[in-house]
Each structure stands twice: as structure tokens, then as C-alpha cells.
Amino acid sequence: MKRSLLAITTIFLLTTSTAIAPIALAINTSSQSQTISNPEKFYQAGQNAFVQGQFAEAVRQWQAAAAIYQQQGDRLRESVILANLALAHRELGQWKEATSTVTKSLELARSLEPAVESQIDVQKAIAQALDTKGSLEFTRGQSESALHSWQEAQPIHQKLNDQTALIRNEINQSRAYQRLGLFLRAGQILELVNQSILQQPDSLLKVDLLHHVGNIFLSLNEPIKATPNLKQSLELLAKLGDSPAANTKKSGILLDLGHLGRTQITDNQVANNQLLVTTRNFYDQAIATAFYPLDRVNAQLSLAELFIASNKLKELAPLLVQIESNIELLPLSRNGIENRIRYAEILSKASIRETAALLLAKAIAQAKEIGDNRTYIYALGTLGHLYEQNQQFDDAIQVTRQAIALAEANNTADLTYQWHWQLARLLKVTGKNEAALISYGQAVEVLKPIQGDLGSAEANAQFSFQESVEPLYREYVSLLLDTSGSDNLNLKSSQPSHNQQNNQQKLKQAQSVIESLKVAELVNFFRSDCLKTQSNDITQIDSSAAVVYVITLSDRLEVLLNLPDGNIKRYTTAIASSEVESTVVEFRNTLRDFSNQDYLEQSKKIYNWTIRPLEDDLIKNNVKTLVIVSDQALRNMPFAALHDGKQFLIEKYALAASPGLQLLDSKPIAKKQINALLVGLSQSRLSFTALPAVKQELESIQKQVGKASSKLLLNETFTSENLRRSIQALPFPVVHIATHGQFSSKAAETYIVAWDQKVNIESLNGILRSRERSDADPLELLILSACQTANGDKRSALGLAGIAVRAGARSTIGSLWQISDEATSILMSALYTKLTDRNLSRAESLRSAQLTLLQEGKFNHPYYWSPFILLGNWQ
């Protein structure tokens, strides 16, 4: 009887790093001789071990099976076994072995290609080897190579009509496109994959595919797209009846629905209360449905983490008792050990540290026993963190150094940066500041290449930029500034002292770290490292401009002033970040009430914190333009409306906002005739209210620019496809979009409204960048009129910065909130009048337009003119 071809264990991807040290393996030759006629037993044993996370055992079993097939001369089955074996090597971080094994697998399969017999099985083996090769490349960060491998496998799956393998292959391709920053293409593939999945017959496999796509959307922070997939998979599962396999899948889906609820928690307390109830219900159901102890404990730990995050410690206590009774039932596998480590971390946060230490000690021993060095490194570093929390600093330093050495030796960058960061904190708290700075610097350097991968990690990893990355940069900046000496250094002497030079070096380093933080924020916003950065020096860009960095630290507000002569000045205000945030929120709220003059109190206070200390240096250096790189809540606030007691800041300086000089296209802007594409909605559409003055606004601008130099897409002619075609067909250096839109801290919730649909940030990016494939001039200026930042979102201005950076426009003008149609029309008309003035910069043109409203009695309240900000090149 012809034996069936052994199947690849899995081709779904693990997005977290899994590299650990090589493990010495020995094959029991006596066992081989006893079962040489039946190598499938070794295969099945390896498969069972792999599924349970016992990867070293899987390697042993599959190596035995491969050796038997080699002795039998069965190259086809040897090829398939080797593809499986490569995945097990990958899980153990044995990259050399994994690469050589999959290469051999592919060579063996291709050597059989001329054979007529078993041609289908040969083609399957080739496709599986290519898929595995792509998986290895993707896990090592070689996204382009992975994409090519999967694309090579795709037509083979199509020829074999293997829909399941094809769907999995296309899912993997979408992941590669996401990693490469090609989100539009990734989204298009996922949409097609969704349609293919829905056409599949109802089965547990279909449930898996729907769940997996939903999980990808969840990891991309796109809850609107994740929800239907997760719900459809749950509904289909209900039709298929109960079984251990079905309940295991159901528990996983319910767990992801719980994670989905956690991602939607915002600053709105009323909405949060309902979300917490919903999220808890999903976790409770996941616990009740779980068939295996591992799934049950996983859901219980997620619920415990929710209780800690929401400060529900009374409800945590009985749950810990339940976890305690289940934790010892976990299998001796990576997943079982990782859940023990999670439990130890939860106990540590609940100040039950003695039990946590015992759990970690057991986890370390178990990881060593099964030869899983990655988990061993993670457990070791976590023990160091436990010592840190318990103020056992000498023990913490010793254990953390061990974890760093192992992490570096085994190429686990996602762990290496964490343990360097941990060591930096420990060195700082023990007074070794200079050594701490070195460790902070090492942590940041290790993090930079992988932060996009972390951002696109699986949702159940619960990666949080605000917890896992942002504090690293802030702590590093804080220590750099703490060790930079006196504030307001006077470096005018012809021979500055060694201390002065050292202090300037520290300040420049702090500036660089702040710039890196701004890039990291946008990398996290896009869930991919898709940004092009460059080194820019203000002294080479604009001799009359100064860059003002405002950064909020826990106990103070720091302002760095980068002057046109290259010197950096530091100004510090001792104030809690909570007070800064509350003052900014109150300022913004009162500004948005045009009948209220109470904003002046907060306006003056913030001016005194941020601008007042700089005034003398600004005057001495003849500064005319301030480029503001602001931070946290300050990003959602218009600096133009700050008041010194006599004047608004906009009356004194031209202003530009910047997500950082590294993201600035600093090439000089040539002054030439304006050619503008004018698009907008004046009618009610897609449940959004009408904007009647948009028609007048666009027609007025067209009259100023001239019909020969412009094109108008209004209402039904403003479709996403018409916008794309117009941008591709004609050279419009200026694109003016007057429609409803929202800027959010989540890319999926940042959009503009066209006649036919909401156009999210990635679709808009694809449309605007389509001109790059033509001979059109670069997009000089993008104006987003009538859009606004999302209410209640402290980081919503990231969405505006994201559009500005990703659209490829050299300058972008947008608004922090939507103002009256009439005031917008007046401001835009004044703006275009000034943009044609070759003697004015873009920042000066916007300033002049804002002053037009300020000097207009009807619209002199800052509600009307202050929300408009210029991002990017201000010249």
C-alpha cells in the first residue's frame, strides 16, 4: 500500500524572536534499528512533541526519522521530515542548523522533480520547503527574502489546487508586506484571503483560518476588521458541535476577543467600565471552555493581568488561588514554563514575591531541563527584575548580567534590550550613572532595528509601547540631562572648558535620544519600521529658526533649545507630569469654547513653563521661526495660543510643529507657481454632517490659483479612485482636502471621508504616493481642512504627524479641531494669498493667515485660528 506523504507540522509564523543557543542532540541508534521499518513512529512522536512545545524532543525524533529515510533511499519523505526539522531548529534558535536543514530539504525535493511518479507529492514537498524557508527568513527579519520564498511557493499551491496551503501562504505574504511597510498591499491580500476562506467548506480548519486572520488584524490594532473574523470563527465553531478540539479552539477565540476588548480601553471612564465587563466575560468564558490545563491557565493569567491593570485587587485574590491549583498541571514545555513565568510576574506585581521567586527558580530549572535556552534567558532576566523590585540590587545586577550575556550570544534582541535596560536602572539606582548611560545606550541601539517587529507582534503578547519602549527613552533622556551640569550654559567664551564641552555633548546626545523617541512613536503607530530618517542640522537648514524640544518627565518639564549657531540650551521646570497634563487638557477644553476667556490663565502658565525661559536667547539669536517638537499631551495643544501677558506666541514668531528633525525633508523649497488639486465634501455623506462652506472655500481658492492651474473634485466627483487618478495624471504640488476626517493615535482610526468611503491613513498614503510612480513633481504641500484630532485621545496628534510623514508631502497643514466653515474659508483664502508671495516662508504664510483671523473681531478668539498647525518643512 502506498504510504501518505507526511505533512508539515505548521507554516503559521511566530512573530516574536525565538533564537536560543544550540543544544547538543543525540539520536538513540538502538531505537532506530528496532523500528527502522516504521519511521513514521518517530515522525508522529516528533509532531506530538512539537505541538506541546517540546522542541528539543521534536528535533531528536525527527532526526531519527530523517536518518531512517536516508538509509532507505526515500528522498521524498526525507525532504518533508527535514522541512519539519528546520521548524524545530528555528524554535530552538539553532539558525545554522535550521538553514542548512531547509536547504537540504529543498535540494532533495527538487532533485526528484524530473520523476514522473509521485509528481504531486514532489511538488508539495517543494512548496512546503519554500514555505518553511520563508518562515525562517521572516523570523530572522529577512522580510524581503521571505516574501520571495513565499511568492515562489504560491504558484505551486495554485497548480496543485491546495486551497488551504495557498491561504496560509498568502497570509504569510501579507505579514511580509506589513513588515516591509507596504500596508496597502498587505491589506488587499488579507481582504482576498478573507473571501477565499469564506468559500471554504465549514470545518475546524476554516475556523482556524478565520481566527488567524482576525488575530492578525488584532495585532495590527485594527479592531473593526478583527471583530467580524473572530465572531465568524466563533459562530462557525458553534455549528460544528462540541469536542476537545473544538473547545480548545473556542477557548483561544474567546481569549482573543478578550484581548480585543483590552485594546479598545481608552481614557473614557464610562466606556471603560463597560469594556472591562465585556472583556472579563470573554476571559471567563475562555476559562470555562478550556479543555486542557494549559489553555485554562493561559486565560486565567490574562484575567489576572486585567485585574491588575484595572486595580481590582480584591477580585485578584480568589483568582490567584485558582491559578495556584492549576499551575502544577502544566506540561513540561515552553508554553507551560512561560505561563509559570507570567504567573510569577503577576505575583510580583501583587507583592507576593517569595512565591514568585520559587516559581522562577522552578521555571529556570525546567527550561534548562528541556534545553530551551530562550525561555531560560527570559526566566533568568525576570528573576533579576524580581530582585530589583525587592531592592536586592547586587543579586539583581549579577543575574541581569548573566541574562545579557546569554541573550547576546543567542541573538535574542527582544530580550537583550530589556535586560540592558534593566541593568541601566540598577546601575542608576546604585549611583553608577556613567555606567548606566552606557547600558541605556546599548538598550536603545539593540531596540531600534526590532521596534517595528515588536509593534506588529501577536496581540496576545500584549505589547504596549507606553510600557515596553517609551519609558526606556524617557529614563535615558532624564539621566543624560541630570548629568549634563548646570542649565543655561554660556558657551560664548573662545575656549569653552572641558566641563562645558562635556555638557554640550550630553545635551546633544539627549537631543538625539528625543529624536529617536519621536521616530519610535511613529514606528509603533504604523506597527512597522516604514520610515526613512536622515540626519538634519538646524544650522544648515535655516539661520533664523530654532528647534524647541519640550519633553515631559515624571517629575519635571525639560526644554531644550537648539539655536541656529548649533549650541543647545537646557531649561528645567520642576513640575509633576500629571499637573502638566491636567493643565494642558483644561487649556485645550477652554480654548474650544469660543465664548470663554478663561483659557488665558492656563495659556500664561504653559507659556511660563515652555517659552518664557527661552526669550532672552531667542532675541539674542534673532530667531524668527520656532520649530516645536512637543511631547505627550502637549502635542494636542496649539502653541500659537500661548500668551505672555501681552501677546500670543503667534504674534511674535512663525511656528511649525515637527515629529522630529530626522523625519524632515530639509531640501530648500523652490518658489514657483501654485498648481493645486482641490477636493472636498460640502454635502452630508456616510452619516457625517454637511459642510456647506467647503464649496465656497474651494471655489474661492480655485479663483485665486486660477482654473488653468487647478482641478476641483467636489462631492460626488470626490471618490477615492478619482483622487488617485487625478494625482497620477497631473502634477499638483499642492493637494487641498476639505472634508471630515480624524487624527487618532491608532492608524486604523485615522482617516478622511470621501464621497464613496472612509479613506484610512494607509489608503491615503497609497493614493498620494502614486505620484511617485509617475513623472510628477514631488508633493510640496498637503492641506487637510475640516479634519480634527480624536476627542479624548491624549496621543491623537500622532495621527496628523503620521499622515504628514507617510504622505510624502514636504509640508502638511492640518487642524487640531474643526472650526466654523466661515472662519476656515477666510483663513484658507488668506493662506493662499500669502503662499504665492515668494518672500514668505510657509510658516510665515500660515502665521499671516492666522493673524488675519486674530485681527478680525468676529473670529479673534484662538478657538478659530490657533488649531491650524504646519508640520514638516517650514521654509
Side-chain angles (χ1 to χ4, degrees), residues 162-197:
D162 189 339
Q163 288 300 310
T164 300
L166 180 61
I167 288 170
R168 287 174 171 169
N169 175 282
E170 289 172 338
I171 289 173
N172 286 342
Q173 286 191 50
S174 76
R175 272 283 170 79
Y177 278 118
Q178 290 163 12
R179 182 79 63 80
L180 292 167
L182 302 171
F183 296 99
L184 188 61
R185 179 65 180 136
Q188 290 169 343
I189 290 178
L190 281 182
E191 294 296 340
L192 293 173
V193 166
N194 248 348
Q195 294 173 23
S196 299
I197 294 172

Side-chain angles (χ1 to χ4, degrees), residues 262-281:
R262 285 195 67 178
T263 66
Q264 294 175 290
I265 292 175
T266 66
D267 301 320
N268 186 323
Q269 192 58 48
V270 175
N272 281 353
N273 289 337
Q274 183 57 49
L275 276 171
L276 286 170
V277 171
T278 303
T279 301
R280 178 178 179 175
N281 286 340

Side-chain angles (χ1 to χ4, degrees), residues 494-510:
S494 59
Q495 294 183 330
S497 70
H498 173 74
N499 284 340
Q500 288 175 326
Q501 290 175 333
N502 184 58
N503 291 339
Q504 273 293 292
Q505 185 179 0
K506 287 279 182 69
L507 294 177
K508 288 183 184 296
Q509 195 173 353

Side-chain angles (χ1 to χ4, degrees), residues 191-264:
E191 294 296 340
L192 293 173
V193 166
N194 248 348
Q195 294 173 23
S196 299
I197 294 172
L198 293 173
Q199 292 170 8
Q200 295 291 303
D202 290 351
S203 65
L204 290 180
L205 176 60
K206 184 175 180 179
V207 171
D208 271 342
L209 295 173
L210 285 167
H211 180 198
H212 192 69
V213 173
N215 183 273
I216 291 176
F217 282 129
L218 179 56
S219 72
L220 292 173
N221 206 10
E222 296 194 28
I224 294 174
K225 293 183 179 179
T227 301
N229 281 81
L230 294 175
K231 288 186 174 179
Q232 284 173 17
S233 64
L234 198 60
E235 291 166 1
L236 175 56
L237 199 57
K239 296 178 184 177
L240 297 175
D242 288 338
S243 68
N247 284 339
T248 297
K249 295 180 191 301
K250 183 177 180 180
S251 180
I253 296 166
L254 289 165
L255 191 63
D256 267 351
L257 285 167
H259 295 330
L260 178 65
R262 285 195 67 178
T263 66
Q264 294 175 290

